[in-house]
Every structure is written in structure tokens, then in C-alpha cells.
Amino acid sequence: MGRFVARRVFQMVLVMFAVSVLTFAIFNLIPNGDPAVRMAGRQQSASTIREIRREWGFNDSVVVQYVKTMEKVFTGDLKSYFTQLPVGEEIVKGLPRTLSLAIGAALLWMFVAICFGLYSAVKAGKFADRFLTIIALIGISMPVFWIGALMNHYLGFKLGWFPNGGYVEFSEDPFDWAYHLILPWTALAILFIGFYSRVLRSNVLDTINEDYVRTARAKGLGERRIMIRHVLRNSMIPIVTLWGLDFGAVLGGGAILTETVFDLQGVGQYAAEAIGQLDVPPVLAVTMYAAFFIVLLNAVVDILYAYLDPRIRLQ
Amino acid sequence: MAIFFGIVFVLLVACCLAAPLWANHVAHTTATENHLSDTIKVDGETKNVVALDGVPIGPTWQGEFFLGADRNGRDIMVRLLYGGRNSLLIGVAAALMTTILSIVLGVIAGYFRGWSDGVIRAVLDIIWSFPVVILGVALGVALALGGLKIGPITIAGDSLAIPIFIIGIVYVPYMARPVRGQVLSLREKEFVEAARAQGAGPLRIMFSEVLPNLASTLLVFFTLLIANAVLLEAALSFLGAGVRPPSPSWGTMIKEGVDRIATAPHLAIVPGLMLVITVLSLNVFGDGVRDALDPRAKVRLEH
């Protein structure tokens, strides 16, 4: 186990290095034109551009530029030249909101997808199954910001059933916190519910024909017990891996599209505003942090799996 | 059902291609022409296209401003059709780019294995580490100002080729990995062995043995890729890192609509519905094709 962990961590560090090089290249090497001008964004005074060129080492070799960029991103020295605010602080400020959104949505989509997927598989081929399949397909075909904006306008603003955007701290009032987050959670979960329920449905249908399910039935176990103890448990394994990855993707990507619509003011909204202004430093930082987080999450999931299933360690 | 939705998609494409016909002969305007101070007769009543308080007219259900106007007094129906052209062009072109890149990379990695496989897999893994939206946005922001220079070709920052390039790159790992896997198992099959024994070179084997056997997978992937590319275009344009205004696309139209949803919800609903119908028809069609050709294949794309 120790050797496996060491190897996996080493591999993770290598991938992180490669990811940082690619991010650096995306912002400073691949585009056409002066990187200092891009970095300045809407703050195009000659003195700012001179300052950027010196601070980021744009007059020096590529290696120096890379090292200086990494120093800036990981010492919290990075600031937006447009808003003059430090990027690190803004991200830390928004993080609890983004985490609240992502964790709640992930739990919601997993729970609903299990119900839908299991029901759909049990009723395979019948009307209920077809109906849920169509609903799932519509779910994966809707942009989250569009359905979110419509929900916020009609359910929040017009009908007044839910708050019209905004965020309340959990420590202040847990009920109000959840009440403000119900719509964002739902909007974000819809896409994944469509996806997961279909994957689960096909997994359940595959598992139902396994020998151990037949054995369980021959033993005289109740149908409900067979479904939950034997079928569902084994159908969940591939989904849990996806869950980890998609959670990372939501934290890094989906939140950007959801938060602005509901005015949650987390990291996602911060990033979305920076993108709208073509303000490079915050986008650079969010990209790097998101990719690093996903690489880390992948390694953690792999190590957990190796811990649970010893066969993986030997591969 | 798959065939029905396939026809819906073809009809949508045909409508968008016919955009100039509608613009010239029915609506008598263009996608970017403002009509801020114009008036229009609806049921014999004269109305402002954009009211004095800035609220644009809703659907009139007649030739001009069939689906209403936006805040600049531009005809929504005309913009919807021209925007669809851009969105679909980006979707199809990006999907084509992804497919070609994935075939080349997947076949080289899977067939030759060895160091080329190692390098290609490592590069794909690194791209795959980025969430799709983040990678698209990062490239969008980086390329928005100066554009892109590949050898002698320079692409301007506001060109449609930029979103095509971005979306075309972002999805490559999701397709190249499964293609590689399939090639890896195909190359061990007896018929490939037989072709090799007959003295066929690697190129010949690829084109006459491996690629035809990949055709059904590629078709399903291509359909689902268009759907995802259209969605990603909308997301990037929504954030301001895709199609640049005033060029219409469904993404930019949804953005303008969401900003003004409180006063004129039709601005957001109309392009969004169009997008959902398009993506849904592609998803159902792709699903049906997969079930018909290879029900056990597991094709998944990230959002």
C-alpha cells in the first residue's frame, strides 16, 4: 500500500507540473500579441504595462517567465490590474459559497438519480421508463444558466416561492441558507440527474442478470432486499468514481455558469465577472487552482480505491 | 423516435440556412440593424419597436418582428436564424475538428503503441485534467485580444474560427481515448492479422481494415459532439469568451436575454428553447444510432 501511495503521489506531482506548464502556455505563449498588454486588461496605461513587464519577467527568457508566474500564483501575490484587488483573497472569500453550492448539488443529483435510475430499470420498457428517459434527455440538453435564469425569474421573482437570488451564511441561519440555495442546487443538479440516472439504469439492467442475483433470488430473499443489497450496491461502483470527477468539474467549471444567475457571489461569479472583463490574472489563477484540485481529487480517489480493492495496487 | 428527431435537426439546419430569405423577403431587415426609433403596425395599432422606457416589443406574430425585438430594436427572429447559423457552424466545425484530431491521435497511439502512445496518452491526460468549461474559458480569454497565429495563418480575436478552435481542442481527450482503446483491440483481430500476412502496410490496414470498423462509434461520437459543442458555445458566449457581439449566436442572445429577463423574458426564452430543441434532437438521434448499431458501447461526453 505504501509503495502504491508513493507512486501515485509522484505521478500526481508530475501531472501537476505539466498542467502548470500548459496553463502558462495558454495565457502567455499560445496567443498572438504582447502578454503584458493582455495581462493589463482594461488598465492600459503605459506605466502599468511597464510594471507588468518587469514583475512578470516578460523581457526575460521563457523559463524566468514561468517561474515568476508560478511564484505569483502560489504566494498569493497575484492581483487584478483592472480592479486592483488581490486575487487570492477574493477567491478565499468566495470559497464557502461555491462549496455550499457544489456539495449540496452533488448530494441532490446523486439521491434523485438513484431513485430515477432504479425505478426506470425496474420498469424497463414500460411507460414510466420511457417517460423518465425523455425527461433525462431533456435534462442533459439544457444549459444550466438558461434554466437557472428562468427558475430564478419565475419561481423566485414572479411567484415569490423562493428568494430571488442572494446568499445567507450557514452560521447565520442554516434554514435560510438552504432556502436560498434550493434553486441553484436544483438548476445545477438537473443536468447530472439526467446523466446519472441513465448510467445507473443501464448498470442495474446489467447487474440484474448476474449469477449472484439469481442465487439471492433462489435463496428466497425479498425483491426489495435483492435490489438494494445486491443490485444497487454493485451498480453504484462506477458511478461513485464519476461522482468524484464531476464534483471537481462543478467546483471548477459548473459554478461559473450557475453563480452569476443566482447572484451567489462565490468563486464562480468572481471568475465569470473577470472573464466578462477579459481580466487575465483572476482567470489564470482560477484555471490553475481548478486543474490542480482535479488532479489532487483524482489521486485521492485512486488511493481510496486501492485501499478498498487490493487488486488495483498490483496493476 | 431517433429518426423523427433526426428530421427535426435537419429542418432546423435548413431553416437557419434560409435565414437571408426570411430577412430579405419577410422581415426586411438584417441581424445587426437597429430600429430604436421605428414604429410598427400590429392589428391596426401603431406601436414603438422599443418603448420609451426601453422595453422592447414582444412577439407580433407577423412578418416584421415575428418574435419581437431586443433592446436595440433588432428583429429577434432574424437574429435567431442568423445566430443559429453561427451556433451550428461552430458546433459542426468544432465536432469535425475534434473527430479528425481524435482519429489521427487515437489511431497512431493505438496502432503503433510504444513511445508515440505514451506521449499521446500523457498529453490527453493533461488536457483531460482541466474541466471543459474552464479550459474553454481560459483559451477564450487568452485568445480574445490578439487572436492566434499558427505559422503563416493569423486568426483575429473576434473571428468565429476562435471558438471553433477552442471547442475543437477541448473535447479531443473524450473522443481520442475511446478511439485508441478500440484500435488497440481491433489490431489484435484475425482480419487485421490476415491483411498483415498478405503484406498490407500500416496505412493500408488503417484505411481499409481499422477505420471502417470504427465507423459506427465515430458516427455516434460525432453526433453527440455537435450537441456538446453547441452547448459549450452557448456557455462560452454567455460568459463573454465565445462569439463576440454584435455577431449573433444563441449563446450571445441568451446572455442578452438573461441580463434583461425581468422586463422582457422572451429575449431569453426564445433562443434558449431553440438551443434545447437542437441539442435534444441531436442527443436523441445519437442515442438511437448507438442503440441500433452497438447497444453495448458506452459513449460519454463531459459537460
Side-chain angles (χ1 to χ4, degrees):
Chain A
M1 190 67 201
R3 274 188 63 188
F4 178 83
V5 173
R7 209 173 59 204
R8 194 63 190 76
V9 169
F10 177 67
Q11 203 187 341
M12 180 186 84
V13 173
L14 273 186
V15 175
M16 280 183 172
F17 173 69
V19 160
S20 72
V21 171
L22 181 61
T23 313
F24 170 75
I26 286 174
F27 285 97
N28 294 343
L29 299 182
I30 296 173
N32 189 17
D34 186 348
V37 172
R38 266 199 310 280
M39 211 52 92
R42 304 217 163 156
Q43 190 55 52
Q44 294 279 0
S45 68
S47 65
T48 312
I49 291 177
R50 250 199 320 278
E51 182 197 327
I52 293 171
R53 210 165 270 148
R54 187 171 44 79
E55 275 185 21
W56 292 72
F58 285 139
N59 291 328
D60 301 309
S61 72
V62 174
V63 179
V64 175
Q65 289 179 32
Y66 170 78
V67 173
K68 289 204 166 173
T69 305
M70 289 306 120
E71 262 175 25
K72 280 189 159 298
V73 171
F74 290 103
T75 55
D77 182 25
L78 201 64
K79 72 163 188 184
S80 155
Y81 298 94
F82 175 64
T83 61
Q84 298 296 330
L85 293 171
V87 173
E89 271 176 37
E90 293 292 305
I91 290 180
V92 170
K93 224 184 340 181
L95 208 53
R97 293 154 182 251
T98 303
L99 276 172
S100 301
L101 173 70
I103 293 172
L107 292 175
L108 179 68
W109 90 58
M110 194 59 155
F111 176 73
V112 179
I114 289 175
C115 297
F116 278 19
L118 207 57
Y119 190 69
S120 209
V122 173
K123 300 270 174 197
K126 301 218 176 87
F127 174 77
D129 174 36
R130 292 206 183 148
F131 181 72
L132 284 178
T133 304
I134 291 172
I135 296 286
L137 277 168
I138 294 176
I140 63 170
S141 305
M142 279 192 296
V144 55
F145 47 90
W146 181 70
I147 190 65
L150 290 186
M151 282 165 67
N152 195 34
H153 177 66
Y154 286 105
L155 302 179
F157 176 69
K158 279 266 161 98
L159 294 173
W161 292 352
F162 295 96
N164 187 19
Y167 179 82
V168 173
E169 296 286 339
F170 182 79
S171 54
E172 226 171 80
D173 184 348
F175 287 105
D176 219 20
W177 169 83
Y179 186 45
H180 275 82
L181 280 166
I182 290 176
L183 286 186
W185 283 338
T186 315
L188 195 49
I190 285 176
L191 162 77
F192 292 99
I193 290 172
F195 211 81
Y196 279 52
S197 62
R198 275 154 47 86
V199 175
L200 193 75
R201 174 185 179 275
S202 82
N203 285 349
V204 168
L205 288 179
D206 284 348
T207 319
I208 270 178
N209 297 319
E210 295 280 351
D211 289 341
Y212 54 81
V213 175
R214 202 154 21 126
T215 313
R217 201 165 278 145
K219 275 199 315 196
L221 279 188
E223 201 59 29
R224 179 180 294 261
R225 208 180 151 91
I226 293 173
M227 278 322 255
I228 291 171
R229 288 283 296 271
H230 294 269
V231 177
L232 186 60
R233 257 175 120 175
N234 285 291
S235 309
M236 291 286 289
I237 296 170
I239 295 219
V240 172
T241 329
L242 282 184
W243 200 31
L245 293 177
D246 283 335
F247 177 72
V250 163
L251 210 51
I256 298 182
L257 296 168
T258 320
E259 282 181 10
T260 316
V261 170
F262 294 102
D263 194 29
L264 291 178
Q265 303 195 353
V267 184
Q269 187 165 359
Y270 175 62
E273 276 159 14
I275 293 159
Q277 305 286 356
L278 297 183
D279 190 0
V280 172
V283 183
L284 170 70
V286 171
T287 307
M288 193 88 82
Y289 294 150
F292 268 48
F293 178 72
I294 296 231
V295 175
L296 181 73
L297 204 66
N298 277 342
V300 171
V301 168
D302 277 359
I303 290 170
L304 272 179
Y305 256 70
Y307 176 72
L308 294 173
D309 184 353
R311 280 174 301 183
I312 293 172
R313 284 177 232 164
L314 301 172
Q315 278 171 11
Chain B
M1 201 158 81
I3 292 170
F4 170 75
F5 277 98
I7 294 170
V8 169
F9 179 68
V10 172
L11 283 179
L12 275 169
V13 174
C15 286
C16 291
L17 286 177
L21 288 177
W22 180 278
N24 294 333
H25 298 292
V26 184
H28 308 292
T29 183
T30 64
T32 49
E33 197 177 322
N34 296 346
H35 298 275
L36 271 170
S37 50
D38 288 15
T39 54
I40 182 178
K41 269 204 157 108
V42 185
D43 300 331
E45 212 179 315
T46 308
K47 284 183 178 171
N48 288 329
V49 171
V50 179
L52 290 175
D53 56 1
V55 177
I57 193 168
T60 62
W61 310 118
Q62 62 188 41
E64 287 166 358
F65 300 104
F66 183 75
L67 290 171
D70 68 7
R71 69 195 157 92
N72 290 327
R74 295 176 294 200
D75 189 315
I76 297 274
M77 183 66 184
V78 174
R79 279 179 75 73
L80 193 67
L81 294 174
Y82 275 101
R85 276 184 149 195
N86 286 340
S87 289
L88 290 169
L89 172 71
I90 292 172
V92 173
L96 205 61
M97 179 173 155
T98 308
T99 308
I100 292 171
L101 282 176
S102 305
I103 293 175
V104 171
L105 292 175
V107 169
I108 291 176
Y111 190 81
F112 292 109
R113 298 192 293 191
W115 65 267
S116 56
D117 186 23
V119 171
I120 290 173
R121 276 175 69 191
V123 171
L124 292 179
D125 276 355
I126 292 160
I127 299 180
W128 189 75
S129 301
F130 292 86
V132 166
V133 174
I134 279 274
L135 186 57
V137 153
L139 282 164
V141 169
L143 297 177
L145 276 181
L148 185 68
K149 202 170 180 181
I150 315 169
I153 312 159
T154 312
I155 305 170
D158 55 0
S159 154
L160 280 188
I162 294 284
I164 292 175
F165 170 82
I166 293 171
I167 299 169
I169 293 278
V170 164
Y171 281 116
V172 167
Y174 298 92
M175 179 164 181
R177 288 169 146 210
V179 167
R180 171 188 168 275
Q182 289 222 350
V183 174
L184 214 55
S185 70
L186 277 175
R187 78 188 295 281
E188 308 299 332
K189 290 273 161 67
E190 289 84 356
F191 59 86
V192 174
E193 198 85 2
R196 207 176 289 135
Q198 282 172 359
L203 266 183
R204 172 100 191 262
I205 293 178
M206 269 173 217
F207 281 102
S208 59
E209 310 293 336
V210 175
L211 279 182
N213 279 291
L214 282 175
S216 64
T217 312
L218 295 180
L219 179 66
V220 175
F221 259 117
F222 184 62
T223 320
L224 298 182
L225 270 174
I226 301 175
N228 281 277
V230 170
L231 273 178
L232 186 57
E233 180 278 318
L236 292 183
S237 302
F238 178 75
L239 292 170
V243 176
R244 306 247 140 237
S247 289
S249 85
W250 290 339
T252 57
M253 291 180 74
I254 293 176
K255 179 184 173 46
E256 285 163 17
V258 166
D259 287 346
R260 251 146 254 277
I261 198 163
T263 50
H266 71 282
L267 293 184
I269 294 173
V270 168
L273 269 184
M274 207 58 179
L275 181 83
V276 172
I277 295 170
T278 307
V279 176
L280 179 67
S281 62
L282 283 165
N283 276 335
V284 177
F285 181 70
D287 244 44
V289 172
R290 180 191 48 204
D291 288 347
L293 294 173
D294 185 6
R296 296 197 69 82
K298 292 229 161 75
V299 179
R300 173 180 202 243
L301 282 169
E302 196 86 8
H303 285 267

